[in-house]
Amino acid sequence: MPRHVQDLIGRKLDELIPRTDAVDPDTRLGRVMLRLRAALLDAEAERQVTKAFGDDLIALVPRLRRFARTRTGSAAEADDMVQATLMRAWERRSQFEDGTNLVAWLFTILRNTHLNQRKRLRREVEDVDGEFAGALSSAPDQEHRIALFELQAALDDLPVEQRETLLLVTVDGLRHEDAAAILGCQVGTVKSRVSRARERLAIALGLS
C-alpha cells in the first residue's frame, strides 16, 4: 500500500478518535489519580517504587483513556476502565520490573480488564445509535460528519483482531513489538493484521 494512503488512513483515524484532554480532578477518575499520586509519593519515599515509575504511570493516563475509549465507545465507561487499570497497576506494582516496557504492561492490564468485564457481563458494548461516532467530533460540517460515520462503519466491519491491532499501532502509536506483547502474538502477525486492516479500510473508503 502506498505510504500516502497509510498516512491518510492514520490521519482519519486520529480525527475519528481524538486524543483525550487532561483529567478533571473533580471526576471520579480525577479523585482516584489524586489518591494515587499521594500513594506513589509515599511508596517512593519507602523505596517501594521509583520516581520514574510514578511519573510515567501518571503521564500515560491520557493514552490509557484513548485506548479504553476505542474499546468501549463510551467516555464514562472508558474512565471506569482506566480507574480499574490504575488500581490493578498499583496493586501489582511489585511485579513491574524497572527498565521494562511500562506502556505494554499497562495496556495489557487494561485490555485484560475489559475482556474480563465482557466475560462477566456476557455481552459486548454496542454503538446502536451511532452515539460513539457522533460524539467523537464536534465538526459542524454535515459532509464531514458523514465521512466520520463512514469511517466508523468501515472500522466496525473489520474482524475484531484486525481492528484492535490496527488501533494499537496506528492510533495509539505502539511499536509492532509492543502490540505483539499486549495481544500475545508474533510480531509478524501484528504486521499482517495491520496491513490487511489498512487494505480493507482503503477499499471501503475508496482510497485504493
Side-chain angles (χ1 to χ4, degrees):
M1 175 181 293
R3 183 67 191 181
H4 73 277
V5 175
Q6 295 184 33
D7 292 342
L8 179 57
I9 290 174
R11 289 196 296 272
K12 285 180 176 292
L13 289 172
D14 270 340
E15 193 172 6
L16 178 69
I17 310 168
R19 302 185 187 282
T20 57
D21 296 326
V23 179
D24 185 341
D26 291 330
T27 62
R28 185 165 55 179
L29 176 58
R31 291 190 290 272
V32 166
M33 287 184 62
L34 288 174
R35 293 197 298 271
L36 180 59
R37 286 177 188 273
L40 285 167
L41 287 174
D42 290 340
E44 181 188 338
E46 296 176 6
R47 298 177 182 253
Q48 295 179 1
V49 299
T50 63
K51 184 177 186 300
F53 175 85
D55 291 345
D56 291 346
L57 179 62
I58 296 300
L60 284 169
V61 168
R63 290 182 66 180
L64 288 171
R65 294 179 82 198
R66 196 182 194 204
F67 180 44
R69 187 72 184 273
T70 66
R71 299 190 66 85
T72 66
S74 162
E77 188 175 354
D79 277 1
D80 287 345
M81 192 186 305
V82 171
Q83 176 181 327
T85 299
L86 292 175
M87 298 309 297
R88 283 176 174 79
W90 169 252
E91 293 166 358
R92 301 173 187 175
R93 61 192 182 279
S94 63
Q95 299 176 18
F96 179 75
E97 298 181 13
D98 286 335
T100 57
N101 195 322
L102 183 61
V103 175
W105 189 66
L106 290 172
F107 272 47
T108 300
I109 293 175
L110 190 150
R111 180 175 183 269
N112 290 338
T113 298
H114 186 230
L115 291 176
N116 290 334
Q117 287 177 349
R118 284 172 51 183
K119 288 178 182 177
R120 286 198 302 270
L121 296 174
R122 294 183 180 278
R123 65 174 176 82
E124 291 191 14
V125 177
E126 297 181 353
D127 186 28
V128 178
D129 299 320
E131 179 181 356
F132 178 34
L136 290 177
S137 174
S138 59
D141 181 73
Q142 183 176 6
E143 183 177 343
H144 182 71
R145 289 199 301 270
I146 291 174
L148 288 180
F149 278 119
E150 290 176 346
L151 175 57
Q152 180 67 55
L155 199 60
D156 290 341
D157 282 342
L158 293 175
V160 174
E161 67 276 6
Q162 289 184 19
R163 179 171 65 249
E164 181 175 38
T165 309
L166 177 72
L167 292 175
L168 280 172
V169 172
T170 305
V171 175
D172 294 299
L174 295 184
R175 299 182 307 161
H176 291 103
E177 293 80 4
D178 295 338
I182 293 167
L183 299 171
C185 64
Q186 299 296 317
V187 173
T189 301
V190 169
K191 292 180 179 179
S192 177
R193 287 178 183 175
V194 171
S195 177
R196 290 200 299 268
R198 281 174 172 155
E199 288 175 359
R200 293 185 60 153
L201 281 183
I203 291 172
L205 299 173
L207 300 176
S208 62

